[in-house]
Amino acid sequence: MSDAPGPRELLPRVVAFEVIAGLAMLAVSGVLADHAFQLWSRGKSFQSVELFGISICCLGGCFDPVNWMWICLPFTRNHITEPGRFAKAGWIIIGLGWLVFVVGMIGKYVHP
């Protein structure tokens, strides 16, 4: 017998939890974007870009909030639900946010 994990089990969707989690992620995204703008105003441009990338990732997570949170947590990786209607658009936005985050991180260390 091997210890390899089996296929992921799709759990049923709970719409009320998705709506609450999506709104919470939207609020977190707004708070992070506001903090990024404040960093930009203080002249910390690359830290601002890095934080804005994380904000975009949270915004993309609003489209499929349960799966995005479950995949990010190390102890719940196999507990995903059926993807929502706009899940692919959310993952594209998360990818864009990741790209912005990486640009900010590289810039922060190249131009201190």
Side-chain angles (χ1 to χ4, degrees), residues 11 13 18 23-24 27 42 70-71 88 93 99:
L11 301 174
R13 292 175 56 195
E18 282 190 11
L23 290 175
R42 287 188 235 142
W70 270 205
I71 288 173
K88 288 183 182 178
I93 294 171
L99 181 67

Side-chain angles (χ1 to χ4, degrees), residues 61-80:
C62 290
F63 291 98
D64 195 14
V66 175
N67 288 337
W68 192 78
M69 288 187 300
W70 270 205
I71 288 173
C72 288
L73 295 173
F75 52 87
T76 58
R77 286 192 187 261
N78 291 329
H79 302 288
I80 61 172

Side-chain angles (χ1 to χ4, degrees), residues 1 6 8 12 16 22 24 26 28 31 41 55 60-61 81 83 87 89 93 103:
M1 297 198 145
R8 288 186 175 175
L26 184 64
V28 167
V31 168
S41 299
S55 173
T81 63
I93 294 171
V103 167

